[in-house]
Short mmCIF file of all heavy atoms in Angstrom, two decimals:
data_model
loop_
_atom_site.label_atom_id
_atom_site.label_comp_id
_atom_site.label_asym_id
_atom_site.label_seq_id
_atom_site.Cartn_x
_atom_site.Cartn_y
_atom_site.Cartn_z
N VAL A 147 24.46 -26.75 -9.98
CA VAL A 147 23.26 -27.47 -9.46
C VAL A 147 22.94 -27.09 -8.02
O VAL A 147 21.85 -27.23 -7.51
CB VAL A 147 23.39 -29.04 -9.48
CG1 VAL A 147 23.53 -29.52 -10.93
CG2 VAL A 147 24.62 -29.53 -8.70
N ALA A 148 23.97 -26.54 -7.31
CA ALA A 148 23.74 -26.07 -5.91
C ALA A 148 23.34 -24.58 -5.93
O ALA A 148 23.23 -23.97 -4.81
CB ALA A 148 25.05 -26.24 -5.15
N GLY A 149 23.19 -23.94 -7.07
CA GLY A 149 22.75 -22.56 -7.13
C GLY A 149 23.82 -21.51 -7.40
O GLY A 149 23.52 -20.34 -7.28
N ALA A 150 25.04 -21.92 -7.66
CA ALA A 150 26.12 -21.01 -7.89
C ALA A 150 25.84 -20.27 -9.26
O ALA A 150 25.68 -20.88 -10.29
CB ALA A 150 27.49 -21.61 -7.99
N GLY A 151 25.72 -18.92 -9.19
CA GLY A 151 25.51 -18.12 -10.38
C GLY A 151 26.73 -18.11 -11.23
O GLY A 151 26.65 -18.14 -12.48
N ILE A 152 27.85 -18.07 -10.65
CA ILE A 152 29.16 -18.20 -11.34
C ILE A 152 29.95 -19.29 -10.68
O ILE A 152 30.66 -19.08 -9.73
CB ILE A 152 29.90 -16.81 -11.30
CG1 ILE A 152 29.11 -15.73 -11.97
CG2 ILE A 152 31.30 -16.93 -11.95
CD1 ILE A 152 29.67 -14.37 -11.89
N ALA A 153 29.69 -20.46 -11.11
CA ALA A 153 30.24 -21.67 -10.50
C ALA A 153 31.77 -21.86 -10.69
O ALA A 153 32.42 -22.49 -9.89
CB ALA A 153 29.55 -22.91 -11.01
N ALA A 154 32.33 -21.24 -11.74
CA ALA A 154 33.71 -21.48 -12.05
C ALA A 154 34.71 -20.65 -11.12
O ALA A 154 35.91 -20.94 -11.11
CB ALA A 154 33.98 -21.06 -13.49
N HIS A 155 34.16 -19.68 -10.40
CA HIS A 155 34.98 -18.91 -9.49
C HIS A 155 34.36 -18.86 -8.11
O HIS A 155 33.34 -18.18 -7.94
CB HIS A 155 35.21 -17.54 -10.05
CG HIS A 155 36.41 -16.76 -9.41
ND1 HIS A 155 37.30 -16.09 -10.21
CD2 HIS A 155 36.78 -16.58 -8.20
CE1 HIS A 155 38.23 -15.55 -9.39
NE2 HIS A 155 37.96 -15.87 -8.17
N LEU A 156 34.99 -19.51 -7.21
CA LEU A 156 34.47 -19.59 -5.82
C LEU A 156 34.21 -18.18 -5.23
O LEU A 156 34.97 -17.29 -5.43
CB LEU A 156 35.48 -20.33 -4.95
CG LEU A 156 35.11 -20.44 -3.48
CD1 LEU A 156 34.79 -21.86 -3.13
CD2 LEU A 156 36.23 -19.93 -2.65
N HIS A 157 33.13 -18.06 -4.50
CA HIS A 157 32.80 -16.80 -3.78
C HIS A 157 31.89 -17.15 -2.65
O HIS A 157 30.96 -17.95 -2.76
CB HIS A 157 32.16 -15.77 -4.71
CG HIS A 157 31.03 -16.22 -5.51
ND1 HIS A 157 31.10 -17.11 -6.58
CD2 HIS A 157 29.67 -15.99 -5.33
CE1 HIS A 157 29.92 -17.33 -7.10
NE2 HIS A 157 29.05 -16.70 -6.31
N GLN A 158 32.16 -16.52 -1.49
CA GLN A 158 31.36 -16.74 -0.28
C GLN A 158 30.49 -15.55 -0.05
O GLN A 158 30.98 -14.36 -0.03
CB GLN A 158 32.23 -16.97 0.92
CG GLN A 158 31.44 -17.05 2.19
CD GLN A 158 32.22 -17.74 3.30
OE1 GLN A 158 32.14 -18.94 3.40
NE2 GLN A 158 32.97 -16.97 4.08
N HIS A 159 29.19 -15.76 0.10
CA HIS A 159 28.22 -14.71 0.31
C HIS A 159 28.12 -14.38 1.82
O HIS A 159 28.12 -15.28 2.71
CB HIS A 159 26.80 -15.15 -0.10
CG HIS A 159 26.71 -15.33 -1.59
ND1 HIS A 159 26.32 -14.32 -2.47
CD2 HIS A 159 27.01 -16.37 -2.40
CE1 HIS A 159 26.30 -14.81 -3.67
NE2 HIS A 159 26.74 -16.08 -3.66
#
Side-chain angles (χ1 to χ4, degrees):
V147 297
I152 300 176
H155 198 133
L156 177 111
H157 53 285
Q158 176 161 269
H159 294 268

